[in-house]
Amino acid sequence: MASTNHHRSSLRSERQIPTARGSVANASIRTKPASTKRSVAAGSLRASIDDQNADSGRVRVAVRLRPKNAEDFPFDADFTDCVELQPELNRLKLRKNNWSSESYKFDEVFTESASQRRVYEAVAKPVVESILDGYNGTVMVYGQTGTGKTYTVGRLGKDDPSERGIMVRALEDTIANTNSNLDFVAVSYLQLYLESIQDLLAPEKTNIPIVEDPKTGEVSLPGATLVEIQDLDHFLELLQIGEANRHAANTKLNTESSRSHAILVVHVRRSKRKEDNDASSLASSSNGDLPSFHMPIVQKSKLLIVDLAGSERIDKSGSEGHMLEEAKFINLSLTSLGKCINALAENSPHIPIRDSKLTRLLRDSFGGTARTSLIVTIGPSARHYSETASTIMFGQRAMKIVNAIKLKEEVDYESLCRRLEYQIDYLTSDMDRQQKLRDTEKEQMEKKLKVYEASLADAEKELVVKSEHFEKENIHLELKIKSLLEELNTQKGENNHLFEEVVHLETCLKQSKQHQLESSTYQKVLADTTQMYEKKIAELLKHLEDKNSHCATLEAQMAEMQQQLDDNQKLLQEMSKLNKEAASKVQSLEAENNEILLGKESLNKELKSLQEKLLYEEMQRQTLEVDIVKLKNVLNNHSTELEYKTSHQMDSAIRSTSGLGGALNIPKPNKSRETMSTQRDTISKIFEEVGLSNIIGLLKSGDLDVQIHAVKMVANLAAEDINQEKIVEEGGLDALLTLLESSENTSIHRVTAGAIANLAMNGLNQDLIMSKGGARLLANIASGTDDPQTLRMVAGAIANLCGNEKLQVMLKEDGGIKALLGMVRSGNNDVIAQIARGMANFAKCESRGIKQGYKRGRSLLIDDGALNWMVSKLTTFSAPIRRHIELALCHLAQNEDNAREFVSSGGVKELVRISQESSREDMRNLARKALNSNPAFLAVTRSV
Ligand code: ADP
Ligand code: MG
């Protein structure tokens, strides 16, 4: 209690006043006051001072009013109660007299009806809970005798549990909240009377001394019996024994229990485990098998439940039989307590704690570290006003005391030591095991190392031997490769030589013609084989190069290559033999061939000359025969047989194309007909005997006579339709055209033109003649001669060509029309008749083309002046010629495009004449049709 000053200062004002007295109080605190707060965090003994709420450490004070009893009533009949409770305000009004009262505030105000349970729970239970949490606690009752102190605190409630007082209920809670295996709950029960402490559980123990730990200041009563509590019944038993002992003692001492203080001390020791950072890290780092380390902590708290002696003043006179000694001591403890409470409440520098045993025992309860609750009990009777008032004042003062609640826990060094020893043992044995393991491992490793070293040495030796062997083998293989390469090179040379030979043979073979096939086969074979060798050689070379780089498979491959080379050599030898044989064969064949060729050539020459001789002789014979016939008939004939023949053919041609019947027929005497048939017979005879090809061959003969006769023969043959095709097939047309171009002989010109005129009667031949330039050749001939017979033949040929509508444009472009008109100059009627026939043919074809729609435009005859010529000369010609020209004019008149030229040339007049005078009806009709349909002609006729 003496330390209160200091504690209060630290709680309330942070003032630190270290005093000599303070050290007394500090005895219970192990650390210095200044470092107390720090020790909360750092110290092994946790000193938790609840300084956040200073009020929590304040002494709690409740007031309890005893119900009225029988004793009170007789007196109280005249008096009103001196106290009035305001439990809802926790206030008590003390009425001094009828006109003055004072109000006091308490922590709790219990009316007379308040239950034991409610009193316990409101006042004592928080203290009991503190005890279980490791704090010291005190529950004390103060009051006048008979106000219910013992009832509140010490009632056993054997018959009615609801009557149980605080002691029983506190133990009940303590037992329920502790573990009988781990925790320790024990009690001492003492009585303090006349400053002597007596053990109520062992009444023989009297005057038990109070011992104070000089270091901690902790107060203890080592002489008192300490009984560990098993269960509540056990405690009730003890309490009963205590009560009995107290009663007996008081009887013996001839006193009342109200004069003594009863003190129940409950010791609670609880083991707690606290994580210690350093220790746990040590444990976890050393071995996972070790349990995590907890610092063993033990909480040692003490609960004092004090049933004080009655607080009333002892009336010296009223106390019967009391010894002086008692009067001297009886209230010493209580008086000292009152003084201490006053001092503490008034913040007095001196707390007379040592004045009595009670204050010494309660040093931690008031101004100490315990949680303290005080119940002041009062009676309702106004008779005891002053006692009640003093009790209330005691309570009011006590309320001002603030304790520094502190946890009572310390390290359990004993169990810590045991645990550490166990851990050391465990770790030591573990280390031993590990060491052993490591030793065996090391041994095994060393053994293995030795084995590896030995095998390494062996391997090195083997390596040296093997590398030497490989080097030797390498050198050997390289030498082999070199020799093989050399061999290959020589083979290649030989091969090249052979190839050259083959080439040479090839050239020889080419010369051979007859046995070309055979020889070429050989050549091919040779060339292929040579190529094959070359390829093989190249492959072999490649193989050899590969072998250089791949020594491993060298031997096998080399053997293979050698084999291949041998095979190649053999093949080459065989081939060279074959080559030689072939060459000799070719030579002999060539010689034979040459001989045969020479023989054939000479024979051919002989044959040719003989054939020519024979043909010429035959020709001579025939010519002579023909000449004889000619001479015989010359007198009876006006024209030559040939001419007659040709004109006959031409007339028949005109008839076939123009459909004008025999109007153009030239009457021939009967004799002449006979001669003709004789001649035809002769010609057919020659033809049969000599053959057409031979006759045509004679066209090229160097002999002019032979040539002329041959042409005459061909011309006569061409008069027959059946011969024309053959003549062309045998090249007769080509030969004739060549003659026309190359020959300068007039007779040749005449008979050739006749022959062509005959051939030109056939449409196919007309095409050929034109395409081979026949028209131009004929035009040349026409312009180059004035021989009427020749001109007649040429005009006849062109007239025939005029009848082919496909060739008209070409004929004009090649100068055919111009040449035809040009031949008018000869004035020969026969020639003009052919010209007129040509005009009629041309006009008729044009007219047909226009009618059928594949031709257009002005007539091609107009450009070359044919129309003008025909119109102007029409009347001058003989009847047959006139008929040709009238026909031509009628056809030209049908084309409207010719109308302008027709009108300008005066053709309309001729047309009118034809329509009226022509001997032929079809002609008259044609002329009329043109005159009536053409508006230009109509215009002319109307104007005339
Ligand atoms: P004290 O111990 O203070 O001398 P007691 O506890 O012996 O007083 O009480 C005196 C008498 O009053 C007893 O008979 C007790 O049973 C009775 N008494 C006290 N308080 C109460 C109460 N609250 N309710 C009923 N009876 C009570
Ligand atoms: Mg009592």
Side-chain angles (χ1 to χ4, degrees), residues 64-67 69 112 144-151 155:
R64 186 178 194 186
L65 181 65
R66 174 181 57 76
N69 57 26
E112 57 267 49
Q144 197 183 353
T145 302
T147 50
K149 294 190 294 294
T150 306
Y151 179 85
R155 188 112 180 155

Side-chain angles (χ1 to χ4, degrees), residues 144-146 148-151 246 257-258 260 307-310:
Q144 197 183 353
T145 302
K149 294 190 294 294
T150 306
Y151 179 85
R246 189 181 182 192
S257 61
S258 62
S260 67
D307 182 4
L308 288 174

Side-chain angles (χ1 to χ4, degrees), residues 430-445:
D430 194 50
M431 254 170 65
D432 285 350
R433 271 200 308 276
Q434 300 234 349
Q435 186 60 44
K436 227 180 180 182
L437 265 171
R438 243 170 267 139
D439 286 348
T440 46
E441 250 174 55
K442 195 183 165 189
E443 241 171 67
Q444 282 175 349
M445 294 293 277

